[in-house]
């Protein structure tokens, strides 16, 4: 049994904790890892970067025994290991914090951490003494600066809190290596700040941190070294101090990326969508008024919780409208539910795509065409040839990395799954396209492809609204930015005149 709260990795600061060499793994039609090596030192944050499908998650899954590598060697603290499951890895001191959390919902927070371990009270039964577990949890949380009640049910926690819980659990096992696979994509800014301070503490204790993310600013802020992978191969490992955003991008993409955003043409169309005094029942959304012209891309900025997602949900009929009007081309739209909204020409790409957008056991073609099936009718039958052809055209346009359009979506990398869901909504030929964080989890090169597609859709007369938490994206990929604050629209700025400070000032207006 691991003694809780004692974290004393045997290696000294700077010494090698983990060494993976010659890691190789193939799936049908894909060489996911080709002779990859990675070395992690005690007390470092090591960023693992690469385009969608480069092999980052696969490398980690080989470490955790989720996949059995075809070849390669893993040394932990100088000893060869080959874990057969994440549970075994955790007991061996290697923990993973990832997005798809599988925590038992009905359990309390304290049980979730200690179940099956200290302190057992009833003979051989793995029962946790409530008082003791609670006390230990409280101690653990206090040491990490986490504010969660040990008696709360896991199901009552938000995604961010669950993730912090997962980290606390890793710490309680005395993990020496902690892997974070895109940890902040569902965290609020506040939670992300807590995460970063915990990472600092773990570093000071001599843990080795592997950090996977597509957010360049995070990588530059917290990492000590960066390893870049491309097409299943190791490309480079560099000290952070010797890297810049441009250098990292070049290593990832394999060429210079001269432009991050396509040049947008000025919209010439009339106002297509007007939203007037929109408020939603049970949300903070209050009297939102805005208009978007055909051919225009409107960025929606604001802090987490400022009501941006609620605005989209209300427009799309996912929440009940308390007041206000939605006009399309001057005609009143009820949009009482999503079905009605889709019929009226609205499409919504949600923020939690991994949760509510993917039909895992179906292939790419079905996942892509499911919302636009009537376009493939030939008489009463669906033309699967047409469906496949359409899917292939989006695989090309968005550079989706897949063996074919008949591949099951769940075998795609996280970012590539997202591109498939985006194609699905683009195929509904919407007149109003609502995009909630469309490039989250998408690599830099592919982001450009998505902006380009947005530009084309706008040019074809679509009105696009895009929520983004990335300032440069808000300014670079839209014509105009509307900023929300405490449920209201705080103001609008033309992108050509927008600055980060200007947006932040508006975001704080009603706080
Ligand atoms: N279970 C699987 N079956 C088949 N192919 C797989 C499986 N898991 C991964 N792959 C393939 O291996 C390659 C690497 O995928 P991986 O998930 O490691 O990428 P990644 O670098 O984590 O990308 P992302 O940034 O999008 O998360 C991809 O081409 C993917 O389709
Ligand atoms: Mg991944």
């Amino acid at each position: 049994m691991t003694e809780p709260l004692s974290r004393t990795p045997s290696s000294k600061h700077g010494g090698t904790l983990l060494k993976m060499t010659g890691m190789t793994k193939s799936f049908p039609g894909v060489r996911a890892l080709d002779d990859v090596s990675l070395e992690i030192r005690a007390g470092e944050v090591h960023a693992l970067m690469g385009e969608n499908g480069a092999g980052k998650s696969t490398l980690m899954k080989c470490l955790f025994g989720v996949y059995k590598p075809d070849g390669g060697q893993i040394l932990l603290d100088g000893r060869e290991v080959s874990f057969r499951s994440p549970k075994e890895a955790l007991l061996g001191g290697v923990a993973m914090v990832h997005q798809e959390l599988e925590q038992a919902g009905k359990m309390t927070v304290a049980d979730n951490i200690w179940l099956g371990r200290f302190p057992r009270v009833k003979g051989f039964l793995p029962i946790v003494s409530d008082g003791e577990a609670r006390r230990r949890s409280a101690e653990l949380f206090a040491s990490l600066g986490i504010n969660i009640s040990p008696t709360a049910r896991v199901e009552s926690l938000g995604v961010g809190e669950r993730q912090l819980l997962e980290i606390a659990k890793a710490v309680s096992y005395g993990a020496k290596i902690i892997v974070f696979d895109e940890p902040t994509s569902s965290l609020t800014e506040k939670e992300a700040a807590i995460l970063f301070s915990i990472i600092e503490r773990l570093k000071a204790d001599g843990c080795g941190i592997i950090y996977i993310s597509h957010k360049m600013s995070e990588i530059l802020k917290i990492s000590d070294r960066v390893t870049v992978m491309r097409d299943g191969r190791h490309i480079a490992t560099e000290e952070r101090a010797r890297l810049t955003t441009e250098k990292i991008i070049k290593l990832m993409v394999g060429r210079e990326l001269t432009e991050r955003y396509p040049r947008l043409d000025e919209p010439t169309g009339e106002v297509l969508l007007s939203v007037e005094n929109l408020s939603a029942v049970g949300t903070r959304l209050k009297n939102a008024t805005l208009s978007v012209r055909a051919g225009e891309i409107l960025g929606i900025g604001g802090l987490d919780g400022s009501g941006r997602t609620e605005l989209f949900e209300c427009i799309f009929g996912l929440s009940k409208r308390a007041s206000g009007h939605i006009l399309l081309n001057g005609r009143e739209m009820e949009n009482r539910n999503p079905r009605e909204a889709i019929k009226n020409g609205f499409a919504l790409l949600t923020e939690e795509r991994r949760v509510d957008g993917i039909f895992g056991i179906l292939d790419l073609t079905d996942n892509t065409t499911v919302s636009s099936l009537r376009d493939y009718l030939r008489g009463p039958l669906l033309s699967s040839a047409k469906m496949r052809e359409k899917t292939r055209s989006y695989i090309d346009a968005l550079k989706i990395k897949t063996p074919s359009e008949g591949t099951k979506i769940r075998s795609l990398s996280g970012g590539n799954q997202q591109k498939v869901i985006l194609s699905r909504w683009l195929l509904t030929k919407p007149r109003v396209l609502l995009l909630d964080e469309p490039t989250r989890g998408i690599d830099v090169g592919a982001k450009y492809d998505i902006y380009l597609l947005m530009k084309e859709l706008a040019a074809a007369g679509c009105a696009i609204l895009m929520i983004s938490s990335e300032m440069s994206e808000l300014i670079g990929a839209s014509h105009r930015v509307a900023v929300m604050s405490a449920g209201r629209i705080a103001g609008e700025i033309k992108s050509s005149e927008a600055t980060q400070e200007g947006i932040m000032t508006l975001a704080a207006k009603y706080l």
Side-chain angles (χ1 to χ4, degrees), residues 15-205:
T16 300
L17 263 183
L18 174 73
K19 196 166 177 177
M20 302 175 82
T21 40
M23 300 300 294
T24 300
K25 176 76 187 169
S26 291
F27 296 107
V30 191
R31 178 146 245 215
L33 295 177
D34 186 357
D35 191 19
V36 176
S37 297
L38 182 70
E39 180 236 313
I40 307 296
R41 299 175 186 157
E44 79 165 335
V45 174
H46 197 119
L48 190 52
M49 303 198 71
E51 294 182 300
N52 299 128
K56 307 176 295 290
S57 297
T58 302
L59 183 64
M60 292 302 111
K61 286 177 181 165
C62 286
L63 171 62
F64 285 93
V66 176
Y67 297 147
K68 191 171 156 25
D70 302 335
Q73 192 189 41
I74 305 174
L75 297 177
L76 183 64
D77 253 343
R79 277 207 312 272
E80 176 154 16
V81 292
S82 155
F83 300 121
R84 280 164 304 181
S85 70
K87 179 86 203 175
E88 219 179 89
L90 186 60
L91 291 169
V94 182
M96 163 101 116
V97 178
H98 54 114
Q99 279 197 304
E100 297 89 32
L101 303 169
E102 296 157 17
Q103 289 149 331
K106 294 259 182 266
M107 252 186 222
T108 65
V109 165
D111 282 346
N112 186 276
I113 298 180
W114 306 110
L115 197 74
R117 293 192 289 159
F118 182 91
R120 298 175 181 208
V121 284
K122 282 196 182 155
F124 297 107
L125 289 176
I127 287 178
V128 181
S129 135
D130 278 352
E132 186 64 12
R134 239 176 277 155
R135 196 183 59 71
R136 292 232 172 197
S137 307
E139 224 173 84
L140 177 66
F141 291 162
S143 81
L144 294 171
I146 296 175
N147 189 9
I148 299 176
S149 160
T151 51
R153 304 235 166 251
V154 174
E155 63 191 358
S156 72
L157 304 180
V159 187
E161 288 173 318
R162 284 190 195 205
Q163 211 159 355
L164 293 177
L165 171 60
E166 199 73 359
I167 296 167
K169 192 168 169 181
V171 170
S172 78
Y173 271 90
K176 299 172 198 168
I177 294 282
I178 303 184
V179 178
F180 294 90
D181 196 345
E182 299 190 46
T184 58
S185 52
S186 44
L187 296 189
T188 64
E189 281 142 67
K190 230 189 192 155
E191 288 163 339
I194 297 177
L195 172 71
F196 294 147
S197 76
I198 293 177
I199 287 181
E200 279 305 315
R201 251 177 272 199
L202 294 171
K203 263 178 74 166
D205 284 342

Side-chain angles (χ1 to χ4, degrees), residues 275-279 285-288 311 314-315 321 323-324 326:
V275 169
E276 294 168 3
N277 286 315
L278 203 63
S279 304
L285 185 67
K286 197 141 180 61
N287 294 332
L311 171 68
C314 190
I315 294 175
R321 210 188 297 178
S323 71
I326 299 169

